[in-house]
Amino acid sequence: MATAIKETPVLKGEAARRFLKTIRENEQKKVPKADYDRAKEAYKNFKVVCSPCG
């Protein structure tokens, strides 16, 4: 039998402030083209492996 998944905790206080600060700092950053291309290729490979046969 599978293990139950715990509920995601709610961030409060300083942890919530740090999280929001990090999100805001990273929102406008562009992903390098090489990383984007590598992720796109991995996605295409994953689709092939995980697609139903027939």
Side-chain angles (χ1 to χ4, degrees):
M1 189 163 161
T3 304
I5 298 173
K6 294 179 183 177
E7 219 176 285
T8 303
V10 176
L11 293 176
K12 296 179 181 177
E14 187 58 33
R17 283 188 280 281
R18 278 195 314 267
F19 177 76
L20 288 174
K21 180 182 177 214
T22 302
I23 292 297
R24 288 184 187 121
E25 289 172 353
N26 289 312
E27 270 183 329
Q28 300 302 319
K29 286 187 180 178
K30 298 289 182 182
V31 176
K33 180 152 175 49
D35 290 349
Y36 178 81
D37 291 341
R38 189 176 72 232
K40 196 169 181 178
E41 187 65 28
Y43 172 72
K44 283 196 293 189
N45 291 335
F46 180 77
K47 272 181 55 177
V48 170
V49 170
C50 293
S51 64
C53 298

